Amino acid sequence: ALEEQQQVENIMRMWRDNRKWIINMIIACIIVYFGISYYKHHKEVRLSKASEEYVDLMNAVSRDDSELAQIKSASMIEKYNYTVYGAFARLVSAKLAVDAGDWEKAKQQYTLVIKERENTEIAALARLRLGKLMFLSMGDAKGALQILSKYEDGYQQLFSELKGDIYISLGEYELAKSSYIDATKVDSKQISPFLTVKLMNLGHKDSNNKELK
């Protein structure tokens, strides 16, 4: 009994000596808990709103209402920048710019997606589209190869095939063939007939036009 009484006295003494600190710690824990809960709820609400706005954006695109789509994509970029929905909006904005012949604006949007969503599948898609834009529309084959030189997750087969097309335009047939072969190694079950034809044409060239190597 004496030992129990001593323990009680020790607890009471500890409480008296550290009461303010203990109360402050409890209050701090409560604030942190509710702060985290509020942040999570706010984030969920924000992403839900962004999802709804993205649906509206895609509806405008499907109706070929480019003016409204541009307004909505610009609004989403401003509100949801550095989020996945902001990146989606930039991709839409870039596509609208390509359709309007504004290649510099499209290039800027694709570049920002690559920068803001680095090492993601969305960045890979932006890099692929930027490579196509620079090669097919802007006539910058070497610049396109530089963009495609860094591979990010996703679209590996399309990356390799596009690089092969670019090498063909530069007369680098061996490099083109190597890129096409790399494309076939990604998924042999999903090789496009066009890729097969490209390889066959290169094989024919190699055997009959050695000076092209």
Side-chain angles (χ1 to χ4, degrees):
L2 183 62
E3 183 178 347
E4 290 179 359
Q5 184 179 355
Q6 184 65 38
Q7 289 178 350
V8 171
E9 289 177 357
N10 289 338
I11 292 172
M12 294 298 294
R13 187 181 304 110
M14 184 185 69
W15 168 252
R16 285 195 304 270
D17 294 342
N18 301 283
R19 179 172 55 187
K20 290 184 178 180
W21 182 84
I22 294 172
I23 292 173
N24 288 336
M25 285 298 297
I26 293 172
I27 293 173
C29 289
I30 292 173
I31 291 173
V32 169
Y33 172 77
F34 282 105
I36 293 174
S37 297
Y38 172 79
Y39 172 76
K40 288 182 177 179
H41 175 70
H42 175 72
K43 185 176 181 181
E44 290 173 359
V45 170
R46 189 164 180 261
L47 289 177
S48 177
K49 180 64 176 175
S51 176
E52 292 175 4
E53 291 187 32
Y54 184 68
V55 170
D56 290 340
L57 170 59
M58 297 312 296
N59 286 337
V61 171
S62 66
R63 295 194 303 269
D64 292 326
D65 191 341
S66 58
E67 184 176 354
L68 179 60
Q70 193 60 56
I71 291 172
K72 286 186 174 295
S73 63
S75 175
M76 287 193 67
I77 290 169
E78 181 179 357
K79 289 190 289 186
Y80 307 113
N81 199 22
Y82 293 99
T83 71
V84 66
Y85 286 105
F88 286 152
R90 284 198 188 279
L91 290 179
V92 172
S93 179
K95 178 62 168 61
L96 293 170
V98 170
D99 292 342
D102 191 347
W103 297 328
E104 285 299 331
K105 180 178 180 180
K107 181 179 178 181
Q108 180 186 40
Q109 295 288 20
Y110 286 139
T111 301
L112 284 170
V113 174
I114 294 168
K115 179 181 178 181
E116 294 169 3
R117 307 298 298 179
E118 188 177 6
N119 298 321
T120 65
E121 192 168 333
I122 297 174
L125 177 59
R127 193 176 289 277
L128 178 65
R129 291 182 178 179
L130 178 56
K132 285 184 177 180
L133 174 69
M134 294 178 69
F135 173 49
L136 298 174
S137 300
M138 304 179 77
D140 186 1
K142 292 184 178 180
L145 280 176
Q146 185 175 1
I147 290 295
L148 298 171
S149 64
K150 181 178 179 182
Y151 172 72
E152 293 165 286
D153 291 340
Y155 308 99
Q156 183 178 350
Q157 188 175 84
L158 295 176
F159 263 64
S160 296
E161 185 172 358
L162 179 56
K163 286 169 69 176
D165 293 344
I166 296 171
Y167 282 128
I168 287 287
S169 75
L170 296 173
E172 299 284 354
Y173 296 103
E174 282 298 327
L175 290 174
K177 186 174 182 180
S178 177
S179 293
Y180 289 148
I181 291 173
D182 287 343
T184 65
K185 292 178 180 178
V186 177
D187 188 349
S188 59
K189 295 180 180 179
Q190 295 185 0
I191 300 174
S192 72
F194 297 106
L195 180 55
T196 302
V197 170
K198 290 172 185 178
L199 273 170
M200 290 175 62
N201 288 340
L202 277 177
H204 179 70
K205 242 171 205 183
D206 286 343
S207 61
N208 295 285
N209 298 285
K210 294 184 179 181
E211 70 278 2
L212 296 178
K213 293 185 177 181

